Amino acid sequence: MKITLDWLKEHLDTSANVDDVVATLNRIGHEVEGVENPAEKLAGFRVAKVLTAERHPQADKLQVLSVDTGDGGAPLTVVCGAPNARAGLIGVLGLPGAVVPANGMELKVAAVRGVESNGMMCSTRELELGDDHDGIIELPEDAPIGMPFADYSGAGDPVIDISITPNRQDCMGVRGIARDLAAAGLGTLKPLDIPTIVGEGAPATEIRTNDPEGCPAFYGRTISGVTNGTAPEWMRRRLEAVGQRSISALVDISNYVMFDLGRPSHIYDRAQLTGALAARRAKDGETVTALNGKDYILTGTMTVIADDRGVHDIAGIMGGEHSGCSETTTDVLIEVAYFTPERIALTGQALALTSDARSRFERGVDPAFLDDATAIVTAHVLAICGGTPSTVTRAGAPPAEVKTVDYDPALSATLGGIAIAPERQKEILAALGFSVIEQGGRWQVAVPSWRRDVDGAPDIVEEVTRITGFDAVASVPLPRIDGVAKPTATAEQLTERRVRRAAAAAGFDEAVTWSFISESDAAPFGSGGAWNLANPISEDLKVMRPSLLPGLLAAAQRNQKRGANSIRLFEIGRRYLSDAEHPTLAVLMAGDKNARGWKAGKAVPFDAFDAKAAALALLEAAGAPADRLQVMEAVTAGSIWHPGQSATLRLGPKAVLAEFGALHPLLTRHFDVDGPVMAVQIFLDAIPAKRASGPARAAFTPPALQSVRRDFAFLAPTSLTAADLVRAVRGADKTAIVDARLFDRFAGQGVPEGQVSLAVEVELQPLEKSFNDAELKAIADKVVAAAAKVGAVLRG
C-alpha cells in the first residue's frame, strides 16, 4: 500500500514531516518497506525556453536549439530531434550530469553530427511521466523559466510504501492510515465530507442482486450526459505516484476513491449494457474477457455481475473488457456493492486472478459505507465529467450489525504488558472509532463497522497497546531457579543435533525448504500428499509434503541451473503422512563426487554406495545399531527409487530405519534435475530409543593381546547379498569374532554360472591367551557352517 505525504494530509491535520510519519507508522504496527522521493530522479532537470530553432547543418531531421535556462547566463546549444521543437516552446531541459530516469543514461556535453549539444530536451516517457514519446514536453506559457522541474511538477511529494497486514483492511486506504496516525497523536483526523446528491428519477438501468450469499448488497445509480475526458492533474499525479496509470476521468475516479478510502467501485458504460444489471451466480462454463485482456472460464461457485446478454464483471475482482468506459462514453452506471470476503478469496484463487479490488474485498470492506461511497463517487463524476444523476437503488442489505466486546481495562497490563490509564484507553479507542459504555467496572466496547478483525478482548488490548507503543513494554527477566540449570533439550532434539553435525561434518550443506509443495510434486510419492490446504497462499504450496525429497530436488535444480557441478544437500524436517507427522533426515547427492583431475582423470559421479555409506554413518550418529542393520529391497522401488540401485536398512524384517540409493529417472526428469541423483531418507522416529537404565555395555578397555585376521573365500548364489553373508560370519562366534568385512567380489572364469565369489576378512580377538591352532580351526569351522546356512560354501 503506497501513499504520499501530501495525500495523507488531505485527511490528517498535521505538521509532521515524512520522517515523523515513518517512525510513527513503524511504532504502531504498520511496517514501512520504503520511502521514495520522486524529486530525486528529476534532479538536474529544469523548466527551459527554446529561443531559436535552426536546421542542423549535417542532418535533416535534427534541429539546433538555443535554450534559455533561466539562470541569467548565455543560452545553451542543444541538438534535438523532436518534431514539435520550435522557437517559443517551454519544456524540460536535462542538463549535463542529469540521469535520464527511463534508461539511466547520464547526460554529457557531446558533439552530435559535429554540433556540440549541452543536454537534452525531454519527453514524458524519458522522465517516466507517461507513455508519450512523439515529441518533447510542452509546458504552459506561464511556466517559470529556470525552476527545477521537480518543484514545478509537484514531484517532491514523498511516497511511503507500507506493508499492511492481512487483518487490517481498514488501512487499505489513505484515510485508514490517517486515522491510526491521529490516534497515535501525530495530528487530528479531518472530518470526511459526505456530499448530498439529489437524484432525478429512478436509475435508467434496473439494479438487483440474485445472489445474497455472494453479494448481500448492490447499490447503484446512473448518470447521463457525462464527458469522459482526462482526470484533473492533482488526481493523476497522486494515482501515478502510487503506481497507478491514469486511463480516463471515470476510471481514475473509481481508482482514486479505492486508494483514498479503501472502497472499490465500478463504473459501467450503459451503452454496453442490455436489460437489468444483477449480481448472480455464474453458470458452469460461462466465460468473460476481463480488463486485463484475458479470458476466464467461470463456475457456479463464483459471483458475477451480468445483464441479459451475459457476464460483465467478475464480482469484486475485475471488470469486463467490453463494458468499460471509453472516450465516447456519455451515460454510466455506478456500482458500489458489498461482496462476501470468502467468496471473493475462493474465486480469485480458482482463477489465479489478483487485483487491487480483490485485495480489499477479500479482507472485508466497510459494510456500512455503501451510501457514503456512492455519494462520494457520484460527486467526483459530477465535478469532473458533469452529467445528471438518478436516485440510488439499494438492492439487498449489507451485514451491518454492531459488534460489542466485553472488556476489562486491566487487561492492558496483565495481557499486553503495559499499564495504561483507563481514560487514555478510552481516548485511543475513541480515536480509532470504537465507543465505550462502562458497566460495573467493565466496559462494553462497540466495534466500528470497518474493523472486521476485532472479535474479543485480546484484540482491544492489541489496539491500545500498539497505539501506546510496544516499546513501552518493560523488559522483565524471567525467574531463574537456583543451582545448575537442568537440560531442556528432548531426546529427539538431541538426536537431531547429532545428525545435523554429522551431516555437516561429512560435507553436506543444510537446506531449509517449504513444508508445502504442489500436487504434481507430491504425486510421485506414494499416493501423493495426505493433507491439502483449503486456502493455500499459492497452488505451488498446497500439499503438506509426504517426503523431504521434493524440496531438495527443487533446490538441486536451482543449483544446477546456476552452474553447480557437485551438489550435497541435507535437511531435517517433518514428513506429513495420514497417521501423523514424522521427523526425517533427507540427503541428496547430484553431479560429481570428485572433479576431474590429473590423478583420477574424468570426474567421478555419485553412486548408490555413496548413499549407503552416508546412510550408515548418519544412522550411527543417530544412535542406531548400524552394524546390525539388514539391507533389503526398497519399499517404494516402483515409484521414486531406481530398481536394483536402491534398498532399505532395517532392524529386523519390518522396522525400516532408512532407505537409500539412486532416484528413479522419471522422478529426476519431473524435477528437471540432470544426471543420476542419489538420496537417503532416515526415519528418525523409527530408531529405537536408548535404554534409560544406564549404558548398554561396559566401558571400552583396550585388549591386551593382538588380534588375528583370517580370510575366507566363499562361492555364493548371486541372489545372496554380501551383507547377509558378512552378518552370518560375524555371528558365527560372538565371543571371538569382533569384526568381519567383505574385501573382494569376483564373477567370471573359474566361478560357476549363477554364482559369485565373495571374500571376507574375519578379525579374531583373543581375551586371556593367544589362540592355538585347534582353537583357530574350531572358529574357522563355525564360520564355514554359518556361511553354509545362508547358501555359501568355502571355495576349494
Side-chain angles (χ1 to χ4, degrees):
M1 172 71 187
K2 292 184 177 181
I3 66 172
T4 71
L5 185 61
D6 177 68
W7 197 344
L8 177 68
K9 291 184 177 181
E10 283 288 312
H11 296 278
L12 185 67
D13 187 3
T14 181
S15 59
N17 59 29
V18 66
D19 293 333
D20 296 332
V21 172
V22 169
T24 306
L25 286 171
N26 283 319
R27 179 171 62 83
I28 63 177
H30 297 303
E31 181 183 357
V32 176
E33 295 189 330
V35 178
E36 177 187 351
N37 189 348
E40 294 176 355
K41 67 180 182 180
L42 294 178
F45 296 88
R46 65 174 58 183
V47 178
K49 182 176 182 178
V50 179
L51 300 178
T52 63
E54 303 292 340
R55 178 179 173 182
H56 194 291
Q58 302 296 330
D60 293 339
K61 294 185 178 181
L62 297 178
Q63 296 187 75
V64 179
L65 310 181
S66 176
V67 181
D68 179 9
T69 61
D71 59 0
L76 296 180
T77 300
V78 177
V79 177
C80 181
N84 63 331
R86 64 188 183 277
L89 179 145
I90 298 178
V92 181
L93 172 66
L95 296 170
V99 177
V100 180
N103 55 26
M105 178 181 68
E106 182 180 349
L107 299 178
K108 299 178 181 179
V109 177
V112 180
R113 295 287 185 93
V115 177
E116 185 178 85
S117 181
N118 296 275
M120 181 176 73
M121 298 297 291
C122 303
S123 68
T124 56
R125 184 191 296 178
E126 288 162 340
L127 298 185
E128 294 185 336
L129 300 176
D131 295 328
D132 184 18
H133 194 56
D134 294 333
I136 57 177
I137 296 172
E138 296 191 36
L139 300 178
E141 292 183 0
D142 60 353
I145 309 302
M147 174 180 283
F149 182 64
D151 296 341
Y152 176 79
S153 63
D157 189 14
V159 179
I160 306 170
D161 190 0
I162 309 168
S163 177
I164 304 298
T165 54
N167 63 315
R168 294 302 306 276
Q169 187 281 328
D170 60 300
C171 288
M172 292 294 286
V174 177
R175 185 167 182 82
I177 298 293
R179 182 186 296 111
D180 268 20
L181 289 172
L186 202 65
T188 304
L189 185 68
K190 297 179 180 179
L192 184 62
D193 182 21
I194 307 297
T196 300
I197 307 294
V198 179
E200 299 180 9
T205 299
E206 181 186 356
I207 299 168
R208 61 175 184 261
T209 177
N210 298 334
D211 181 17
E213 292 183 5
C215 179
F218 186 176
Y219 289 13
R221 72 175 355 137
T222 57
I223 303 178
S224 58
V226 302
T227 301
N228 188 23
T230 303
E233 189 273 336
W234 62 268
M235 182 178 287
R236 287 187 284 112
R237 185 176 69 247
R238 286 179 177 174
L239 288 174
E240 289 167 357
V242 299
Q244 291 295 303
R245 182 171 60 91
S246 176
I247 298 174
S248 68
L250 291 171
V251 175
D252 289 357
I253 287 169
S254 180
N255 286 337
Y256 181 81
V257 172
M258 176 172 63
F259 285 95
D260 188 45
L261 304 174
R263 214 318 158 183
S265 59
H266 193 68
I267 302 178
Y268 296 89
D269 185 342
R270 278 191 50 240
Q272 307 300 323
L273 302 179
T274 303
L277 191 67
R280 63 167 173 83
R281 290 286 185 94
K283 300 172 184 176
D284 287 333
E286 270 189 311
T287 61
V288 62
T289 303
L291 285 172
N292 60 6
K294 296 181 179 180
D295 294 329
Y296 294 92
I297 301 174
L298 309 175
T299 69
T301 63
M302 302 172 181
T303 301
V304 297
I305 307 298
D307 63 4
D308 294 347
R309 187 171 55 184
V311 176
H312 286 282
D313 187 353
I314 304 172
I317 299 178
M318 190 171 288
E321 186 177 55
H322 57 278
S323 61
C325 297
S326 66
E327 66 275 3
T328 62
T329 298
T330 57
D331 300 316
V332 299
L333 184 149
I334 298 174
E335 166 216 308
V336 178
Y338 180 85
F339 300 108
T340 304
E342 294 78 9
R343 180 70 59 80
I344 300 301
L346 292 172
T347 300
Q349 290 167 9
L351 299 177
L353 179 58
T354 60
S355 67
D356 291 309
R358 173 191 164 183
S359 68
R360 288 159 174 81
F361 276 122
E362 70 182 357
R363 300 182 187 204
V365 300
D366 183 0
F369 195 62
L370 273 71
D371 271 317
D372 292 347
T374 304
I376 291 170
V377 174
T378 302
H380 281 305
V381 173
L382 297 179
I384 298 171
C385 304
T388 303
S390 71
T391 57
V392 177
T393 293
R394 300 172 180 84
E401 64 275 6
V402 178
K403 185 191 303 181
T404 59
V405 174
D406 183 57
Y407 178 67
D408 181 356
L411 287 173
S412 71
T414 58
L415 187 60
I418 308 175
I420 306 172
E423 289 306 315
R424 176 55 183 154
Q425 293 190 50
K426 280 186 181 179
E427 291 175 5
I428 293 172
L429 292 173
L432 292 173
F434 296 81
S435 59
V436 178
I437 300 175
E438 291 192 57
Q439 293 181 349
R442 297 186 69 86
W443 296 357
Q444 292 296 314
V445 180
V447 180
S449 57
W450 58 82
R451 291 304 301 273
R452 183 171 177 260
D453 59 303
V454 176
D455 286 321
D459 297 318
I460 304 297
V461 172
E462 180 185 359
E463 293 305 299
V464 297
T465 52
R466 75 177 180 86
I467 295 299
T468 300
F470 290 120
D471 51 354
V473 177
S475 297
V476 180
L478 294 173
R480 181 179 176 87
I481 301 174
D482 294 336
V484 179
K486 295 181 179 180
T488 58
T490 64
E492 179 181 315
Q493 291 171 331
L494 292 173
T495 298
E496 290 186 3
R497 288 181 189 176
R498 288 196 302 272
V499 295
R500 177 177 284 110
R501 290 170 180 166
F508 294 97
D509 297 312
E510 184 171 12
V512 180
T513 65
W514 291 104
S515 295
F516 306 98
I517 58 178
S518 66
E519 289 181 301
S520 62
D521 287 351
F525 294 84
S527 57
W531 304 98
N532 291 1
L533 298 185
N535 186 24
I537 297 174
S538 164
E539 288 298 310
D540 290 336
L541 300 173
K542 185 175 183 178
V543 181
M544 299 186 76
R545 62 186 180 193
S547 169
L548 274 63
L549 293 179
L552 292 181
L553 284 164
Q557 186 265 352
R558 288 191 295 272
N559 279 272
Q560 283 188 342
K561 297 300 182 186
R562 288 159 177 79
N565 295 320
S566 181
I567 299 169
R568 307 165 191 244
L569 300 173
F570 81 95
E571 181 175 11
I572 299 175
R574 301 291 186 270
R575 294 177 301 131
Y576 301 94
L577 306 183
S578 58
D579 59 338
E581 59 181 76
H582 298 272
T584 305
L585 165 65
V587 173
L588 184 137
M589 295 169 278
D592 300 336
K593 177 173 66 173
N594 297 319
R596 64 178 182 174
W598 64 269
K599 186 176 182 180
K602 294 183 179 180
V604 179
F606 291 102
D607 58 27
F609 294 104
D610 296 312
K612 179 182 179 182
L616 289 171
L618 293 172
L619 281 168
E620 187 172 5
D627 58 338
R628 294 194 287 117
L629 298 180
Q630 296 174 267
V631 179
M632 301 181 69
E633 183 181 1
V635 178
T636 52
S639 54
I640 69 170
W641 297 106
H642 194 306
Q645 298 183 31
S646 58
T648 59
L649 290 169
R650 307 189 186 200
L651 192 61
K654 295 183 179 180
V656 180
L657 271 58
E659 51 189 13
F660 67 89
L663 294 178
H664 200 288
L666 291 178
L667 181 68
T668 58
R669 192 176 304 128
H670 171 81
F671 284 91
D672 195 22
V673 180
D674 297 333
V677 178
M678 306 301 138
V680 176
Q681 284 201 117
I682 296 177
F683 311 124
L684 298 176
D685 55 345
I687 298 174
K690 291 185 177 181
R691 298 180 183 178
S693 57
R697 64 182 65 181
F700 174 73
T701 302
L705 300 174
Q706 184 175 349
S707 62
V708 178
R709 288 179 172 83
R710 289 290 186 268
D711 295 341
F712 296 83
F714 298 99
L715 285 176
T718 55
S719 60
L720 177 64
T721 65
D724 288 341
L725 175 61
V726 171
R727 187 179 301 105
V729 169
R730 185 183 291 117
D733 188 331
K734 295 182 179 180
T735 301
I737 298 175
V738 294
D739 193 18
R741 69 179 187 89
L742 181 76
F743 69 89
D744 183 58
R745 181 185 185 277
F746 175 74
Q749 186 176 2
V751 177
E753 186 177 352
Q755 291 188 319
V756 63
S757 173
L758 299 175
V760 179
E761 179 189 71
V762 179
E763 183 177 1
L764 310 175
Q765 179 62 56
L767 299 177
E768 297 178 354
K769 64 182 182 66
S770 298
F771 294 118
N772 56 38
D773 290 342
E775 290 171 333
L776 290 174
K777 185 178 184 308
I779 296 172
D781 292 341
K782 291 180 181 180
V783 169
V784 173
K789 290 182 179 179
V790 295
V793 296
L794 192 66
R795 288 187 67 179

